Amino acid sequence: MNRILVTGATGHLGSVVTQTLQKTIPARQIGVITRHEEKRAELESQGFTAHLANYDHPYALEKAMDGVDTVLLISAGDEGDRMQQHKNVVDAAKRAGVKNIAYTSRALKDRTTLSNALMRDHFETEDYIKESGLTYTLFRNILYMDAIPLFIGKQALERGIFLPAGKGRVSFALRREMGEAMALVLANEPCQNKTYHFTGREAYSFGDIAQALTELSGKPVSYTPAETSVFVATMRQSGIAEPMLKKIVDFVTDIRHNQEADVYTDLEKVLGRQPLALKDGLKELFGL
């Protein structure tokens, strides 16, 4: 009996993982961690072994891992010291006698040339896990297709797309399909120091996104590949906070350099079907 603990279980990705796991294995074999008591109680009422803990409290993490075989570490946000938080989870797993650890990393081409410093944490976490001696599974996930509306803005259908992404491409996939695939691996495949690359079946530019939105909406949607300096000046005039602006520029710079353009078949193989293509995903995300 493989007892699995999912951290960040009430987030968008964690929820999909736990829901999919529940279809495959009994809820009593699934442990979950949340930061909120009301959510913990709700999950417990559904049959999960639910714990109140967070990445900054090693003792609570270790206690939640008692009797667990496999921990899924869903990467932390960037509000705190993410690298230290990840180390806390890995160290707690070792102390608790956990055998296996899985981690939600990122599908990026070259860690040595990244513009986005936040993404380097993922590779450093991978290194830390490999050095821990735990048997591991790494899920390198591509940029969520679900993030496209955040990048191009709510008014993209009326104003077009204005980003310094050049002709860079991304092999977008839906978050829910990657979460489903992760759960299927955890439930059905042995942990054997393997890395999965979960991407869509094709890579798309923002020009492709504009074309797809044009076809779906019946309105002409343009894409303007702006210069970074012009984009920054324009966004500052809109009143965006500087940390958020930097985050957007770093993400988009890596896209321009095709850091997220590689295509793999792992997602299709694990799901047993083709992942949703861009046009179908945009139809869903924009309600078209």
Side-chain angles (χ1 to χ4, degrees):
M1 183 174 68
N2 184 22
R3 290 159 295 185
I4 300 170
L5 178 72
V6 180
T7 71
T10 55
H12 292 296
L13 184 61
S15 296
V16 175
V17 172
T18 54
Q19 290 163 11
T20 305
L21 282 173
Q22 195 176 17
K23 296 175 184 177
T24 309
I25 61 178
R28 66 179 181 275
Q29 291 178 226
I30 306 167
V32 293
I33 285 177
T34 178
R35 294 175 296 173
H36 307 287
E37 172 56 30
E38 65 275 12
K39 292 183 179 179
R40 188 207 66 78
E42 180 183 348
L43 288 164
E44 187 172 74
S45 71
Q46 297 171 17
F48 298 106
T49 304
H51 304 272
L52 192 65
N54 64 56
Y55 296 165
D56 290 314
H57 293 87
Y59 175 75
L61 290 170
E62 185 177 348
K63 186 176 179 182
M65 294 175 188
D66 183 42
V68 168
D69 300 294
T70 301
V71 170
L72 171 61
L73 167 55
I74 293 181
S75 61
D78 57 0
E79 296 83 9
D81 185 343
R82 177 160 67 174
M83 194 61 221
Q84 184 58 56
Q85 290 173 334
H86 291 175
K87 288 179 178 180
N88 289 344
V89 175
V90 176
D91 293 346
K94 288 181 66 176
R95 291 193 302 269
V98 171
K99 301 172 186 173
N100 315 309
I101 189 162
Y103 175 63
T104 60
S105 190
R106 291 280 279 108
L108 296 159
K109 186 188 294 289
D110 184 359
R111 65 186 290 180
T112 65
T113 58
L114 286 168
S115 295
N116 192 344
L118 291 173
M119 296 300 101
R120 295 176 193 145
D121 290 346
H122 291 294
F123 292 104
E124 290 176 10
T125 299
E126 288 187 11
D127 293 341
Y128 196 77
I129 287 171
K130 291 176 180 178
E131 293 164 2
S132 73
L134 296 169
T135 306
Y136 62 84
T137 300
L138 301 177
F139 298 114
R140 288 188 176 174
N141 299 327
I142 199 63
L143 184 63
Y144 300 147
M145 195 183 296
D146 313 59
I148 290 175
L150 301 177
F151 277 99
I152 68 177
K154 297 178 180 179
Q155 304 301 317
L157 293 176
E158 289 75 33
R159 300 178 182 175
I161 301 171
F162 178 74
L163 283 172
K167 296 180 180 179
R169 307 172 78 83
V170 180
S171 50
F172 291 106
L174 283 174
R175 175 173 50 209
R176 72 163 187 270
E177 291 194 315
M178 288 187 276
E180 179 185 350
M182 289 161 53
L184 291 172
V185 169
L186 292 172
N188 300 312
E189 299 184 21
C191 191
Q192 296 179 323
N193 294 348
K194 185 173 180 179
T195 299
Y196 294 83
H197 294 82
F198 287 155
T199 73
R201 55 186 173 175
E202 187 176 344
Y204 305 95
S205 68
F206 281 94
D208 295 326
I209 293 171
Q211 180 61 35
L213 288 173
T214 296
E215 294 172 4
L216 287 168
S217 67
K219 305 174 184 178
V221 179
S222 63
Y223 166 52
T224 303
E227 292 293 331
T228 299
S229 59
V230 175
F231 175 79
V232 168
T234 302
M235 293 301 290
R236 279 178 176 153
Q237 289 177 0
S238 72
I240 189 172
E242 284 295 322
M244 178 58 67
L245 177 56
K246 183 179 188 318
K247 187 184 298 186
I248 293 171
V249 169
D250 287 347
F251 262 106
V252 174
T253 299
D254 283 335
I255 290 173
R256 187 172 70 244
H257 295 158
N258 282 314
Q259 284 279 8
E260 309 217 37
D262 289 349
V263 173
Y264 296 86
T265 59
D266 292 355
L267 185 57
E268 181 176 345
K269 289 176 180 176
V270 172
L271 291 175
R273 66 177 188 273
Q274 289 188 340
L276 212 62
L278 177 72
K279 194 171 181 180
D280 294 324
L282 291 175
K283 184 177 180 179
E284 177 181 311
L285 293 168
F286 283 87
L288 296 171

